[in-house]
Every structure is written in C-alpha cells, then in structure tokens.
Amino acid sequence: MRGVSEETIQALRDAILLLQELVAPICRKHGLTLQQLYVLSELKSEPRQTATRVADRVGIQRTNFAAVWRKLEVMGLIAHEHGKLDKRKVYLDLTDKGTKACADIIAEAEIALSYDSHVMSEQDYIDITRGVASIRKLATEALALGKR
C-alpha cells in the first residue's frame, strides 16, 4: 500500500475547511453543530449502533460522547436503549425528527455545494464527485482494516 502524499493530506484538510465554512452555518441555523450532524449522519447511514461505535466513527472521544448524544436526545433527534444482555451497552438510533433534521441540513448543504458553471466545468465537477466517492470508499475500507 502506498503512503499518503502531502498533497492528499492538504486536499483532505481543505475539504474539512469547506465543511466548516459552508455546512457549519447551515447546522447552526438548525440549532446543531457540525459534530452533531456527523452523529446524525452516521446513524442515518447505519441505524442502531452502540454509542462507542458512533463515537469512534465520528471521531469524538468516548469519554466526551455521552454529553453529545444526551444533548441530541434532549432535542428529540436520537433515542437510546440499553442492551438486553449487557446493560452497559448503549444503542443509539435516529428518531423521525432526527431523520428529518439530518435530511434538511444535507439538502441545504447539497444546494450550497452544488455545481456552478461559473466556478468550474461540468467535467471537473463530475471528477470531483467521483474522487470524493473514491476517498469515502478508501476511508471506509481502511477504517475497517484498522479495527480488526
């Protein structure tokens, strides 16, 4: 496996900055943080996960994550349930309100990040979206390997 280039790291950093610049204000408009959107989005893509798994997937320290999910629960966006066999395990899932909030924010973000012919060519936009999909696939596979 080849190493990650400095250019790749800079591109990923720029993508994170783009999220902070364009998506975080949309989240704030809906009363959420970007970090909270990550949690909702993770639960939307894979429902009913343990709190530990969600924390690991979205990059929040496990010791800090309880405060994050509890706030989302107070807002009515997620629900929790203790494990039947192991009561220490906490399972999280989106509520209908959480599903709608996530969808609304994503829809607004898609508009904010949509193709603009004044900024780039349509082919560049297609290449970028394919590249992002490839990065997501690579990251998912690398994370899965790292957890084994």
Side-chain angles (χ1 to χ4, degrees), residues 46-83:
E46 191 175 321
R48 199 175 190 298
Q49 295 185 54
T50 65
T52 299
R53 180 160 170 32
V54 175
D56 290 346
R57 294 277 302 152
V58 300
I60 301 173
Q61 288 185 341
R62 293 176 185 180
T63 54
N64 298 333
F65 188 60
V68 174
W69 72 256
R70 284 189 179 116
K71 184 167 184 178
L72 289 168
E73 186 173 44
V74 167
M75 296 167 78
L77 302 174
I78 67 171
H80 86 279
E81 178 182 300
H82 288 279

Side-chain angles (χ1 to χ4, degrees), residues 20 49 57 102 125:
Q20 292 170 343
Q49 295 185 54
R57 294 277 302 152
C102 187
Y125 183 77

Side-chain angles (χ1 to χ4, degrees), residues 8-75:
T8 301
I9 291 171
Q10 289 172 345
L12 292 171
R13 182 206 61 221
D14 290 345
I16 292 167
L17 291 173
L18 181 67
L19 283 173
Q20 292 170 343
E21 292 286 324
L22 294 177
V23 181
I26 296 168
C27 290
R28 283 194 296 277
K29 188 173 99 176
H30 288 267
L32 295 171
T33 65
L34 191 55
Q35 190 178 57
Q36 290 168 328
L37 175 63
Y38 293 161
V39 173
L40 298 181
S41 180
E42 176 62 25
L43 289 169
K44 183 179 179 192
S45 69
E46 191 175 321
R48 199 175 190 298
Q49 295 185 54
T50 65
T52 299
R53 180 160 170 32
V54 175
D56 290 346
R57 294 277 302 152
V58 300
I60 301 173
Q61 288 185 341
R62 293 176 185 180
T63 54
N64 298 333
F65 188 60
V68 174
W69 72 256
R70 284 189 179 116
K71 184 167 184 178
L72 289 168
E73 186 173 44
V74 167
M75 296 167 78

